[in-house]
Amino acid sequence: MQTIKKGDVVGFSFILTNQDGEILDQSYPGEPLMYLHGAENIVPGLEKEMENMEIGQSKKVQVVPEEAYGLFDDTLLFQVPRMNFPPDAVLEAGMQFQSEDENGIMNIVVKEVKEDVVHVDANHPLAGETLNFDVTVESIRAATPQELIHKHVHQHGHDH
Ligand code: ZN
């Protein structure tokens, strides 16, 4: 029986819930999520548990924040002067925007808007969350040389 190993392209269906049992994400029926095993395409705690699974096999995997999107980091809460935003920008709590610095692109969520400052949070939305994956392996195939070089799956006409 073929089992998942480094360098395989794996298709799996999943339901992702948080500790309160709320569904955070799930694959569409008949449309498994494809990833390249061993290339850190998925969170480390889940990738580790996928190793050696077989087609048709299901598993419940609990992933602690350290093995998912990290712990909540208070140092990623910022107060940005209101004047740093465009004067005509309408700002309200819950808005998301992207900020780019030397570390790459950060997704930032507006938490609170005050007269002079805007409180923002640059943590990943799932930081600090223990994640519960209910996964079923749908397909396993060897990656192409190009996929291995690119460290991701090529499908649906994705090409370079
Ligand atoms: Zn590619």
Side-chain angles (χ1 to χ4, degrees), residues 88-136:
D88 57 343
V90 181
L91 297 169
E92 50 190 36
M95 284 179 63
Q96 300 185 22
F97 60 94
Q98 291 189 328
S99 168
E100 198 169 357
D101 70 1
E102 64 274 14
N103 298 319
I105 292 172
M106 280 199 301
N107 286 298
I108 292 174
V109 179
V110 174
K111 303 305 280 185
E112 195 178 359
V113 182
K114 296 199 168 152
E115 198 172 329
D116 297 332
V117 296
V118 179
H119 295 251
V120 301
D121 179 0
N123 281 284
H124 187 281
L126 294 177
E129 294 262 20
T130 294
L131 304 178
N132 297 289
F133 290 93
D134 198 334
V135 303
T136 302

Side-chain angles (χ1 to χ4, degrees), residues 150 152 154 158 160:
H150 289 187
H152 60 224
H154 290 170
H158 170 88
H160 302 271

Side-chain angles (χ1 to χ4, degrees), residues 36-56:
L36 176 58
H37 190 74
E40 297 178 10
N41 292 170
I42 59 175
V43 297
L46 178 59
E47 184 164 59
K48 206 162 56 186
E49 291 293 327
M50 298 292 288
E51 183 95 16
N52 292 324
M53 284 183 75
E54 303 170 348
I55 293 173

Side-chain angles (χ1 to χ4, degrees), residues 4-159:
I4 296 173
K5 60 186 186 315
K6 189 174 162 67
D8 283 339
V9 170
V10 178
F12 70 102
S13 51
F14 72 96
I15 299 174
L16 169 59
T17 52
N18 62 15
Q19 288 297 75
D20 295 329
E22 294 163 343
I23 295 177
L24 301 174
D25 196 11
Q26 61 185 318
S27 54
Y28 291 104
E31 285 184 43
L33 182 74
M34 307 294 290
Y35 80 99
L36 176 58
H37 190 74
E40 297 178 10
N41 292 170
I42 59 175
V43 297
L46 178 59
E47 184 164 59
K48 206 162 56 186
E49 291 293 327
M50 298 292 288
E51 183 95 16
N52 292 324
M53 284 183 75
E54 303 170 348
I55 293 173
Q57 190 182 350
S58 297
K59 201 181 208 180
K60 289 186 197 304
V61 179
Q62 188 171 77
V63 182
V64 294
E66 293 91 330
E67 301 244 283
Y69 294 101
L71 295 168
F72 192 86
D73 183 353
D74 286 338
T75 68
L76 292 177
L77 299 173
F78 300 104
Q79 297 187 19
V80 182
R82 178 66 180 83
M83 64 166 108
N84 287 15
F85 292 87
D88 57 343
V90 181
L91 297 169
E92 50 190 36
M95 284 179 63
Q96 300 185 22
F97 60 94
Q98 291 189 328
S99 168
E100 198 169 357
D101 70 1
E102 64 274 14
N103 298 319
I105 292 172
M106 280 199 301
N107 286 298
I108 292 174
V109 179
V110 174
K111 303 305 280 185
E112 195 178 359
V113 182
K114 296 199 168 152
E115 198 172 329
D116 297 332
V117 296
V118 179
H119 295 251
V120 301
D121 179 0
N123 281 284
H124 187 281
L126 294 177
E129 294 262 20
T130 294
L131 304 178
N132 297 289
F133 290 93
D134 198 334
V135 303
T136 302
V137 178
E138 307 284 356
S139 64
I140 305 173
R141 68 165 168 83
T144 65
Q146 201 186 33
E147 286 173 326
L148 290 173
I149 290 165
H150 289 187
K151 298 189 190 325
H152 60 224
V153 175
H154 290 170
Q155 62 170 346
H156 300 317
H158 170 88
D159 206 0

